[in-house]
Amino acid sequence: SAVISQKPSRDICQRGTSLTIQCQVDSQVTMMFWYRQQPGQSLTLIATANQGSEATYESGFVIDKFPISRPNLTFSTLTVSNMSPEDSSIYLCSVGPGTGEVAKNIQYFGAGTRLSVL
Amino acid sequence: EDKVVQSPLSLVVHEGDTVTLNCSYEVTNFRSLLWYKQEKKAPTFLFMLTSSGIEKKSGRLSSILDKKELSSILNITATQTGDSAIYLCAARNSGGGADGLTFGKGTHLIIQP
């Protein structure tokens, strides 16, 4: 499986500020995803990070609030913009190594970023 | 809308017991079902199931998919305290749009010594 480094591991932020979370993989991967896990809830997909093009967002998530970059096949960032306490959550980067259906079907997760917004 | 439901939501057993965790799904153009173990933040991959009736096994853990019943179970035998975690079930479709997974809410398993 791919080794995924996600940082920061945790942060406490003020309302109205923005935080950028980084995800670095030790090998080139086809698919990269960003998930959110709110307290007591399961994982919800925010978007698929596409290399060299705009991310594909799920219903309820928009680029202005969660801008995503993916400049190459090993790195992606997620920014949580203009934060409010409702954004307090764990944010997880996920990758699908391999190609084709393997990449889509088996995802591995980073260690996550625990964000608290005051 | 795709949906994954897990039961029970929480379970407390004693070390050595055997547990069965359930997952049912309603997914358009179902492709595969995955099980993950989440201890702190990062879910770790356990199994991927695509074919009905074929058991996947890893040590004391095993899982099987029933496409007719749109469900899967995860069995853990001879449980240990280290098995305490949230077990997540996720389903993937093969349709258009995003290629991520739809997760259930998880089963919080607690193994008491």
Side-chain angles (χ1 to χ4, degrees), chain A residues 11-81:
Chain A
D11 207 341
I12 301 173
C13 300
Q14 295 295 322
R15 183 194 299 257
T17 62
S18 297
L19 175 73
T20 295
I21 303 167
Q22 297 181 2
C23 180
Q24 177 76 54
V25 192
D26 68 341
S27 59
Q28 293 186 344
V29 292
T30 310
M31 313 291 286
M32 293 183 80
F33 308 93
W34 287 98
Y35 286 85
R36 180 175 74 180
Q37 187 175 31
Q38 294 181 301
Q41 301 297 314
S42 189
L43 284 74
T44 302
L45 179 65
I46 297 172
T48 303
N50 301 308
Q51 194 264 328
S53 65
E54 197 170 282
T56 306
Y57 288 85
E58 290 300 289
S59 175
F61 298 96
V62 295
I63 187 171
D64 289 345
K65 176 67 177 176
F66 297 101
I68 287 170
S69 79
R70 185 158 178 211
N72 55 54
L73 292 175
T74 63
F75 185 77
S76 178
T77 66
L78 168 75
T79 299
V80 186
S81 303

Side-chain angles (χ1 to χ4, degrees), chain B residues 28-75:
Chain B
T28 306
N29 298 319
F30 172 83
R31 176 57 64 96
S32 59
L33 188 136
L34 287 80
W35 284 95
Y36 287 87
K37 178 182 181 182
Q38 186 177 28
E39 293 178 85
K40 290 186 178 177
K41 285 186 292 187
T44 53
F45 172 78
L46 294 175
F47 297 110
M48 182 180 77
L49 306 162
T50 54
S51 300
S52 214
I54 299 175
E55 185 184 54
K56 294 244 177 146
K57 201 169 169 66
S58 176
R60 295 176 294 104
L61 278 67
S62 63
S63 184
I64 196 163
L65 177 67
D66 186 338
K67 285 186 176 179
K68 190 177 174 185
E69 297 294 326
L70 305 182
S71 67
S72 175
I73 59 171
L74 175 69
N75 280 320

